[in-house]
Amino acid sequence: MKKLLYTSLFIAALISPGINAQYQPKNTSKEDMKKAQQWVEKTYKNLSQDEKLGQLFIVALYTNKGEDYINQVRNIVTNDKIGGLILMQDDAAREINLVNEFQQKSKVPLMIGMDAEWGLFQRIATAHKFPWAMTLGAIQDKNLIYQMSAKIAEDCHRMGVNWDFAPVVDVNTNPNNPIIGNRSFGSEVDNVISSALSYSNGLQDNNILAAIKHFPGHGDTSTDSHLDLPVVPHNMERLNSTELAPFKALMNKGIGGVMVAHLYVPSLESGKGIPASVSKNIITGLLKDKLGYKGLIITDALNMGAVANKYKPGELDAMAFKAGNDIMLFSQGVSEGKKLIQKAIDTKEIPQSRVEESVKKILLTKYFLGLTQYSPKNPENINTDLNNDSHKTLVQNLYSNALTLLKDEKKLLPLSGKQVYYVPLEEAPYQTFANRMGSSIVIKKASDINTIPAGSTVIVGFHKDNSTAYKPYKISSESKKVLADLTKNQNVILNVFGSAYALKDIDLSKVSTVLVSYENNDDSMNATADALNGKTKIWGRLPVLVNDQLKPGMGMDLNSVSLMNTK
């Protein structure tokens, strides 16, 4: 598989003063660079001004909104000559057919993007789900994250997608963050950087563009930017050490895109209430000029309430371009935006060179991603190709390596076939875990805990709803009471099938053993059962600050039974 070497140096030195890019194919010869230059220059010159402006826009393509909606997108692709699409829910085969159609109709190949942070499952329900970033942050062998994103890249190619809007590099320092949370690698800057670099390289080494997001940092917010404008109130010292730190560390690692958030950051933008996504101070002044980023700069989705509720379609797009963005994502007003950008050029509010800079950067990226040799994708067997045993094996290994043992005072693990009782609590399914544990466990309902003999080993499973990354992690008072009652006479193993933040206000002083599995799904439950039975090693580390007792980096190693028997 052809690998890419990504560099933050100006390609301009090799090709032309007007073309910057963040990456180039590995071992690119001068002749290859000359061909890239020729294609970009020839293509740019052959575009009308209206077609050049069209390259700046990406619109959404849903297949669950009916044919009238799809026809609207078809008309935008045809009439506005847009630069790309972002694939949303939900029919993979239909999306492939539409992408094939639209690519064939487009004078310039379309950039096809997708939010696939935890794989294509994020948008395609029939695909296989990969772990959330918080789970990945617990993994110590970051090469496993590389393997995961390489597999996501394979799935992207299968769909005709060439840009995964991932990874999230927000440092999640706020447990009450409603929109980042599980999507962050954790609350420690170094862990976020190393995890994100592995994820980005896994994509880009396999010819899928990455985009680190959400600049300048969405980790300490308590407002959902899909609904309203969050505020990041910190001073510059704090921003530099935490929020901005991953972006600054990763920008010279060749990552091809940066996505700018809809956030108000007073320390970076003096204009009251101006979102980062339309702030010239933040995008041009900080990201481009001060930090020297040369890759593609793209807005977060422009349909989000943080900005869509405050500005008109088209007006918002023009503001975003004037601020320094190359691409307006999820545009709600392409034709209006083009007219307003052109008006700003005509009145010399912005120079034509800004259009040239962005469009040539976009064209060069498309060239290096191989879009000039685009071949139609085959929709047959797509659901099986996106969800099969190769996915399951990889994903269960990821969950296995993420498992974090926070304490085991009575050395209850591994169980190795010992008779134990199991009390499943909270709202989510648990049967997969029980089945994998086998006949060695006896399931007891919460109402029957008094029938468990004193001194028994009891697994208490907190099974939280895993249907989205945004579900609440808090544990009910009823479950807390059951746990407290069991610790009076039993040897308790608490297993959290959910966010580590669920332990924030749980009294663990009398709980012998605490294991965090991070998520509640079949792959996670199977991996956990195998680890409890001593089939696999446990060596994950806590990626977030939960409370004063549970800090980032905490965790114990527990070898598998086979490793123990060799000692």
Side-chain angles (χ1 to χ4, degrees), residues 428-449:
Y430 60 85
Q431 197 59 50
T432 297
F433 174 73
N435 293 343
R436 188 77 160 212
M437 287 297 295
S439 59
S440 62
I441 70 165
V442 178
I443 301 175
K444 289 287 185 179
K445 295 181 180 179
S447 58
D448 296 330
I449 62 172

Side-chain angles (χ1 to χ4, degrees), residues 20-23 58 111 163 209-212 255-260 287 293-299 324-327 357-366 369:
N20 299 337
Q22 186 70 10
Y23 74 98
I58 289 178
M111 186 86 82
W163 195 353
L209 204 66
I212 50 178
I255 295 171
V258 168
M259 180 178 287
V260 185
L287 181 56
Y293 184 65
K294 305 301 178 190
L296 288 175
I297 301 172
I298 184 169
T299 68
N325 291 286
D326 299 304
I327 298 175
E357 173 195 345
S358 291
V359 174
K360 286 186 175 180
K361 197 191 300 185
I362 293 166
L363 293 176
L364 187 61
T365 302
K366 290 180 175 183
L369 289 174

Side-chain angles (χ1 to χ4, degrees), residues 349-386:
E349 184 180 352
I350 55 175
Q352 176 66 24
S353 60
R354 266 287 289 116
V355 176
E356 182 177 3
E357 173 195 345
S358 291
V359 174
K360 286 186 175 180
K361 197 191 300 185
I362 293 166
L363 293 176
L364 187 61
T365 302
K366 290 180 175 183
Y367 182 90
F368 282 149
L369 289 174
L371 291 181
T372 57
Q373 289 87 38
Y374 180 83
S375 58
K377 304 300 178 182
N378 186 347
E380 291 183 14
N381 303 316
I382 182 60
N383 292 331
T384 301
D385 290 343
L386 298 179

Side-chain angles (χ1 to χ4, degrees), residues 16-37:
S16 97
I19 309 176
N20 299 337
Q22 186 70 10
Y23 74 98
Q24 58 179 307
K26 187 178 181 181
N27 299 325
T28 300
S29 66
K30 289 184 178 180
E31 184 61 29
D32 291 333
M33 293 302 299
K34 184 179 179 181
K35 289 180 181 178
Q37 174 192 16

Side-chain angles (χ1 to χ4, degrees), residues 230-396:
V231 178
V232 180
H234 300 302
N235 60 28
M236 282 305 304
E237 182 179 3
R238 156 64 192 244
L239 292 174
N240 278 318
S241 65
T242 304
E243 278 73 19
L244 290 170
F247 294 97
K248 291 162 69 175
L250 294 166
M251 279 177 191
N252 66 352
K253 304 299 183 184
I255 295 171
V258 168
M259 180 178 287
V260 185
H262 307 311
L263 302 167
Y264 174 45
V265 189
S267 293
L268 300 176
E269 174 52 70
S270 57
K272 187 173 182 181
I274 296 178
S277 52
V278 294
S279 166
K280 189 170 184 178
N281 289 332
I282 291 175
I283 299 171
T284 298
L286 176 61
L287 181 56
K288 296 174 73 172
D289 294 345
K290 187 172 182 180
L291 299 180
Y293 184 65
K294 305 301 178 190
L296 288 175
I297 301 172
I298 184 169
T299 68
D300 206 342
L302 295 181
N303 70 324
M304 293 167 62
V307 288
N309 294 340
K310 296 176 173 60
Y311 306 101
K312 296 178 182 178
E315 176 187 19
L316 180 58
D317 300 81
M319 292 172 63
F321 183 68
K322 291 175 189 176
N325 291 286
D326 299 304
I327 298 175
M328 279 59 75
L329 177 65
F330 222 117
S331 173
Q332 303 288 283
V334 176
S335 61
E336 298 93 336
K338 289 165 74 173
K339 290 174 185 175
L340 289 173
I341 291 172
Q342 186 58 50
K343 182 179 178 181
I345 294 170
D346 293 340
T347 59
K348 303 194 183 308
E349 184 180 352
I350 55 175
Q352 176 66 24
S353 60
R354 266 287 289 116
V355 176
E356 182 177 3
E357 173 195 345
S358 291
V359 174
K360 286 186 175 180
K361 197 191 300 185
I362 293 166
L363 293 176
L364 187 61
T365 302
K366 290 180 175 183
Y367 182 90
F368 282 149
L369 289 174
L371 291 181
T372 57
Q373 289 87 38
Y374 180 83
S375 58
K377 304 300 178 182
N378 186 347
E380 291 183 14
N381 303 316
I382 182 60
N383 292 331
T384 301
D385 290 343
L386 298 179
N387 190 346
N388 53 51
D389 287 344
S390 68
H391 295 84
K392 185 182 297 185
T393 300
L394 172 59
V395 170
Q396 287 191 17

